[in-house]
Amino acid sequence: MNELAGKNILVGVTGGIAAYKVVEVVSRFKKMGAEVRVVMTRAAAEFVAPRTFQEITKNPVSVEMFAGTVNFHVEHIALANFADVVLIAPATANFLAKAAHGIADDLLTTIVLATTAPMIVAPSMNTKMLEHPATQANLKILEGRGVKIIDAEIGRLACGTSGKGRLSEPENICAEIVKFFAPKILIGKKILVTAGGTIEPIDPVRFICNRSTGKMGYEIARAAKNAGAEVILISGNATAEPPSDIKFVKVETALEMREAVLAEYENVDAVIMSAAVSDYRVKNVASQKIKKSNETLTLELVKNPDILKELGERKNNQLLVGFAAETENVIEYARGKIDEKNLDFIVANDVSQEGAGFGVDTNIVSLIDRAGDIENLPLMTKAELAEKIIQRIAELI
Ligand code: CTP
């Protein structure tokens, strides 16, 4: 949970009703170890009391340019220099206009002009204001200057209408900041990740599936993307939210997953096979819904191809990472899979432990390499584990 340790984040809050959501954003930054300074516009201070941010950040919150000090000129420069990144959330139409045109008529806009730190803005406003050509042009100007825009979402707005203009959720805003700070250790690399569980049909309405939510693989794809890689995510059944800015391929069966993986295999630098591939499929899939006419029903299953094993056999220079979900003899079975599937390392997972495996946000795993060296990792979030796996891959390629 210390993804932001040692990072200085300047949060600029402008006057929108969504300012209250930024309390949660700032709180998350603090939990992730960041040093946070908040600057509010006067209008923002109408929506949330500066004291709220002050208590959370344990730092003074600045609103006024000339706030009773003879050294006023120092403050905006000090804050401008403090920032490793400047986040503006919520960003009003008025703020975007001023930032786009270099107007500095209050403390926040003066800091924005005085800082050389990269800026990330999360707009939030009424749909018509957002869609107005002036606002759209201002967003383009900012984007052209390298400012990252966290798109507003569609939903119900405070003004009573529905449409685009809701502030992006605190979770997304935080993810963007974590992404911004992630070391770009995989730039120029192409990474293929599989995730989720395959679906093996029985008849037109029924199927065999497993408990995979796709969370682990989706986090790996996200971490690879954050590290600067080009990412292809091939996913079976999953409930997790896929990361943006990647190639996302949805498949159902193990056979479809095999085909999708092989189509990309030649051109990638690494494959992380975190999908829960069904080992068997139904031999004769019924073309019509099976009726409950008999007391018992026997399904004949045939073995699915082992995708990872096939990749191991066809390996050129690709780095191959497998997962081993076990309930006993974890290390021994995982080691066997390294040899059998020609892997570079394996993430061995005792799914019988509390806090590990399917449907939870955490995992407890061991990383085992070809030489048999074992790194036992403590309980950590899947996002943290994903970063560890990506670090390991970066070291190896
Ligand atoms: N895997 C695969 N194709 C399959 C089955 C598994 O590519 N048909 C991959 C998984 O994505 C995982 C690794 O192989 O990375 C290990 O999967 P696991 O099910 O733990 O092992 P199996 O090899 O299937 O062996 P067993 O089920 O007997 O433990």
Side-chain angles (χ1 to χ4, degrees):
M1 284 303 278
N2 269 335
E3 294 105 314
L4 297 177
K7 308 298 181 199
N8 293 338
I9 306 175
L10 181 82
V11 181
V13 186
T14 71
I17 182 80
Y20 78 92
K21 281 193 185 173
V22 181
V23 174
E24 167 73 13
V25 172
V26 168
S27 166
R28 284 179 184 230
F29 287 163
K30 285 299 288 181
K31 284 184 193 139
M32 288 190 271
E35 183 65 15
V36 188
R37 294 295 305 263
V38 175
V39 176
M40 303 176 81
T41 61
R42 280 184 195 167
E46 295 289 325
F47 291 98
V48 175
R51 178 170 283 270
T52 307
F53 287 114
Q54 201 166 305
E55 294 297 335
I56 295 172
T57 62
K58 307 280 180 254
N59 277 320
V61 171
S62 312
V63 182
E64 298 292 342
M65 185 80 190
F66 305 99
T69 161
V70 288
N71 289 329
F72 73 89
H73 58 283
V74 178
E75 192 180 17
H76 68 269
I77 300 300
L79 286 169
N81 291 340
F82 156 85
D84 294 324
V85 68
V86 175
L87 167 72
I88 310 292
T92 57
N94 188 43
F95 172 82
L96 296 175
K98 288 201 265 183
H101 298 283
I103 294 170
D105 65 352
D106 62 7
L107 180 62
L108 182 59
T109 47
T110 308
I111 292 170
V112 164
L113 210 56
T115 189
T116 52
M119 187 156 79
I120 299 177
V121 304
S124 168
M125 66 199 73
N126 161 276
T127 311
K128 289 205 171 73
M129 291 172 80
L130 181 61
E131 285 172 353
H132 194 287
T135 306
Q136 288 301 312
N138 290 332
L139 282 168
K140 283 233 160 54
I141 290 173
L142 291 171
E143 221 166 7
R145 225 179 266 154
V147 173
K148 162 89 193 160
I149 314 287
I150 304 177
D151 247 355
E153 292 172 11
I154 295 169
R156 197 148 175 83
L157 302 173
C159 50
T161 57
S162 277
K164 191 169 175 180
R166 275 172 67 94
L167 182 71
S168 181
E169 288 304 316
E171 199 180 342
N172 298 338
I173 296 176
C174 290
E176 283 299 336
I177 299 291
V178 169
K179 184 157 114 187
F180 169 81
F181 283 115
K184 303 290 175 271
I185 48 181
L186 284 180
I187 269 186
K189 302 293 175 200
K190 204 165 175 181
I191 309 288
L192 169 57
V193 184
T194 68
T198 62
I199 287 181
E200 308 297 337
I202 298 170
D203 68 13
V205 296
R206 303 180 180 97
F207 55 79
I208 300 171
C209 198
N210 56 61
R211 292 181 190 276
S212 173
T213 59
K215 173 103 182 161
M216 190 66 244
Y218 282 32
E219 290 295 351
I220 294 171
R222 186 169 286 120
K225 176 73 207 163
N226 290 351
E230 185 184 337
V231 179
I232 304 150
L233 173 59
I234 298 176
S235 175
N237 186 49
T239 51
E241 190 64 32
S244 51
D245 303 331
I246 58 156
K247 180 171 176 186
F248 183 65
V249 182
K250 195 90 207 274
V251 295
E252 286 207 337
T253 63
L255 292 177
E256 282 173 25
M257 183 169 277
R258 173 182 173 273
E259 224 167 274
V261 168
L262 290 180
E264 303 284 357
Y265 190 45
E266 286 302 309
N267 303 317
V268 298
D269 298 290
V271 180
I272 304 133
M273 198 70 203
S274 77
V277 184
S278 176
D279 288 328
Y280 294 90
R281 68 179 180 276
V282 176
K283 187 176 180 189
N284 298 310
V285 178
S287 59
Q288 302 300 330
K289 187 182 166 198
I290 300 171
K291 304 303 280 178
K292 55 174 181 303
S293 33
N294 298 328
E295 279 312 304
T296 61
L297 175 70
T298 306
L299 291 173
E300 192 179 352
L301 302 179
V302 290
K303 218 172 195 172
N304 267 327
D306 188 322
I307 304 170
L308 191 51
K309 192 170 173 189
E310 205 172 329
L311 299 182
E313 286 159 2
R314 297 179 178 212
K315 191 168 175 177
N316 301 321
N317 288 316
Q318 299 93 337
L319 191 106
L320 281 189
V321 182
F323 272 72
E326 309 289 355
T327 53
E328 57 177 0
N329 303 332
V330 181
I331 301 296
E332 189 191 326
Y333 285 152
R335 276 191 170 141
K337 283 173 191 174
I338 293 184
D339 294 337
E340 191 199 339
K341 306 192 189 196
N342 194 14
L343 307 180
D344 293 275
F345 72 91
I346 196 158
V347 185
N349 190 353
D350 181 349
V351 288
S352 65
Q353 285 190 76
E354 198 168 320
F358 299 118
V360 289
D361 279 341
T362 53
N363 226 342
I364 311 164
V365 306
S366 302
L367 303 185
I368 309 171
D369 66 15
R370 285 179 85 88
D373 289 337
I374 303 174
E375 185 184 0
N376 291 315
L377 298 174
L379 176 91
M380 56 176 74
T381 65
K382 287 183 174 169
E384 287 167 324
L385 175 57
E387 269 176 42
K388 282 253 174 224
I389 292 169
I390 290 304
Q391 265 166 25
R392 196 42 104 85
I393 288 172
E395 283 160 21
L396 292 171
I397 54 177

